[in-house]
Amino acid sequence: MALQHEAITPHRSVQSALRVLETVARHSTGVTAARIARDTGVPLAQLTPLLRMLTSEGYVEELTDGGAYVTGETLSRLGSTRHHAAALREQLQRTLDGLRDSIGAAVYISRYVDGEVRVTEFAAGPGTPAVNEWVDFRSSAHASAVGKSLLTQLDVNGRRDHLSRHKMARLTSRTITNEQVLLNRLASQPATVPVLDLQEYAVGTVCAAVPITAGSAVGCLALSLPVEHAHRLREAADTLNRGAAPVLLSLAI
């Protein structure tokens, strides 16, 4: 099952979004889209959907008397040193809940912390069940979309170190258990193409993951679907990739 994707780059969107927020923050009484475009160098064609995303996520608010923009409540909360951690958790959960509903799949944020895979946030529901963690995600990075996405963001020595500490057990008939085969797959994985798990971790489940590296922190955004919905994986992975920008933005502020 091959997926073809255009080179969508959430990181570039986030860089533009940060420039937009800096410009809006400098104008306490409001600033128009035309002025934002002029000050940031972001073309209006790109700025329009960016402002739509920033407004829906609460980073900016559009004034009713002329289309000017001011900073929103989300930016104020995340900018507070005292309440940043709690505000970040709340914002990430809201974003994940929205992605779950728009994609129709359980979604997850995972990070590589102290040499281990950790799923730190997720959103699931009755119609979008989470993956049954029948094998600890920390010891199954070779098989899961989450794990493979995180490993692609490490250098070769980092990948080898991880695999030396976690035996590549065969979890299903599709699981890669040859270290060199896996390392070759990871090395050839394009950064803008979602990493897939097609029943490699668990029979009956397919997954996709995209990187959300912020600074030196290695992370990814992932989704899971029951195998009977595998025909939706391409569209779901594309939506997930587009939805990575708000997550990255929250982590960058």
Side-chain angles (χ1 to χ4, degrees):
M1 182 178 183
L3 300 187
Q4 299 296 324
H5 295 265
E6 296 180 0
I8 301 169
T9 55
H11 293 77
R12 186 175 301 171
S13 295
V14 170
Q15 291 170 354
S16 298
L18 290 172
R19 294 204 305 272
V20 169
L21 292 178
E22 288 172 359
T23 298
V24 174
R26 288 199 301 267
H27 297 80
S28 59
T29 59
V31 58
T32 65
R35 177 65 184 273
I36 295 171
R38 187 164 65 251
D39 288 359
T40 62
V42 177
L44 273 174
Q46 180 185 346
L47 181 61
T48 298
L50 197 57
L51 284 171
R52 190 181 306 122
M53 182 272 285
L54 292 172
T55 302
S56 68
E57 294 288 327
Y59 289 102
V60 301
E61 296 178 8
E62 186 175 8
L63 300 177
T64 57
D65 55 350
Y69 293 87
V70 295
T71 55
E73 183 181 350
T74 298
L75 187 61
S76 299
R77 287 201 311 268
L78 289 177
S80 168
T81 303
R82 181 178 178 184
H83 302 293
H84 177 77
L88 178 59
R89 286 194 300 271
E90 292 172 5
Q91 182 63 22
L92 289 175
Q93 193 61 56
R94 277 194 295 270
T95 301
L96 289 182
D97 289 346
L99 277 173
R100 174 200 60 203
D101 295 342
S102 64
I103 298 174
V107 290
Y108 315 79
I109 292 176
S110 182
R111 295 182 175 89
Y112 197 71
V113 182
D114 297 329
E116 301 294 350
V117 173
R118 296 184 183 177
V119 175
T120 54
E121 292 90 14
F122 74 97
T128 53
V131 173
N132 174 31
E133 190 179 352
W134 75 286
V135 175
D136 194 319
F137 287 135
R138 291 176 297 179
S139 59
S140 56
H142 65 292
S144 68
V146 158
K148 288 186 288 182
S149 180
L150 295 175
L151 290 177
T152 62
Q153 298 173 63
L154 305 180
D155 60 21
V156 175
N157 290 335
R159 295 168 190 167
R160 289 188 183 279
D161 172 72
H162 183 91
L163 296 176
S164 72
R165 293 182 286 107
H166 296 285
K167 178 179 171 57
M168 294 175 60
R170 184 174 299 280
L171 306 184
T172 77
S173 63
R174 295 173 177 264
T175 306
I176 297 173
T177 56
N178 182 289
E179 179 175 315
Q180 194 55 52
V181 170
L182 179 64
L183 289 172
N184 290 342
R185 293 276 184 90
L186 296 176
S188 62
Q189 174 69 32
T192 58
V193 177
V195 177
L196 303 180
D197 159 15
L198 304 177
Q199 301 190 85
E200 296 170 55
Y201 172 76
V203 174
T205 301
V206 295
C207 305
V210 296
I212 52 168
T213 305
S216 60
V218 172
C220 71
L221 182 63
L223 66 83
S224 65
L225 287 167
V227 71
E228 55 266 29
H229 292 283
H231 62 282
R232 295 179 44 226
L233 189 60
R234 173 175 179 167
E235 180 182 358
D238 284 337
T239 304
L240 182 78
N241 212 0
R242 291 192 297 271
V247 176
L248 266 170
L249 184 58
S250 296
L251 296 173
I253 293 177

